[in-house]
Amino acid sequence: MEGAVKHFHAHMDIVVDGKPIPVAANLGVSTAEQVMSELHTHDASGVIHIEAFTTDKRYTLGELFAEWEVRLDSTHLGGLTADGKNVLRAYVNGKQVHGDPRTIELLPRQEIALVYGPAGQRVDVPSTYEFPADLGEVLPSG
């Protein structure tokens, strides 16, 4: 991905029944072919790397889940289904977002939380993430 003109990071937490679920390491990375998708992870920290060769492309959470090959929509998180007894909620920077979580646009230094569990369950939803200082972000001016 050297030469990327747009390189930024978002962070995602997944919480199921009150317990954190790790995001896959090396999502979008093929070590055998030595290539990376524009959306990828390097470890299970939840940091999403967005590296692009154009400044105008937008990226969504749905694209990341498609890369991961995990189902995500307004009622599904992988094999889990929101059925009234259990609910799926999405948050961006601590604020609940309604509708299809696939449409959430990935933006620099954003904290996304997907929370699945019993309706009414109280979960401490993160609103920020302390990103490492050495991520080497490149954001277009303007």
Side-chain angles (χ1 to χ4, degrees):
M1 297 307 298
E2 288 186 40
V5 296
K6 183 160 72 170
H7 177 192
F8 65 91
H9 304 86
H11 184 266
M12 180 172 60
D13 285 292
I14 299 175
V15 180
V16 174
D17 294 328
K19 297 182 178 102
I21 303 297
V23 175
N26 294 316
L27 171 64
V29 177
S30 172
T31 52
E33 297 175 19
Q34 296 185 334
V35 296
M36 283 188 284
S37 166
E38 292 174 278
L39 299 175
H40 60 274
T41 64
H42 292 289
D43 54 36
S45 68
V47 173
I48 304 163
H49 298 255
I50 299 94
E51 299 180 36
F53 294 102
T54 64
T55 59
D56 58 345
K57 187 170 179 188
R58 295 174 183 258
Y59 301 90
T60 65
L61 191 59
E63 290 173 281
L64 179 71
F65 273 78
E67 186 75 41
W68 195 2
E69 298 179 354
V70 170
R71 183 176 184 181
L72 177 67
D73 58 41
S74 59
T75 57
H76 294 92
L77 175 59
L80 304 171
T81 302
D83 56 9
K85 180 181 174 187
N86 291 294
V87 295
L88 173 61
R89 295 175 300 234
Y91 298 84
V92 175
N93 298 331
K95 297 184 187 321
Q96 188 169 2
V97 176
H98 298 280
D100 190 341
R102 289 179 297 193
T103 64
I104 295 171
E105 183 177 355
L106 300 175
L107 298 171
R109 301 293 171 124
Q110 182 180 51
E111 169 56 34
I112 299 167
L114 297 176
V115 179
Y116 176 88
Q121 179 183 38
R122 307 273 304 154
V123 175
D124 185 20
V125 177
S127 60
T128 61
Y129 178 75
E130 188 69 34
F131 289 87
D134 60 348
L135 290 176
E137 292 178 311
V138 176
L139 297 173
S141 58

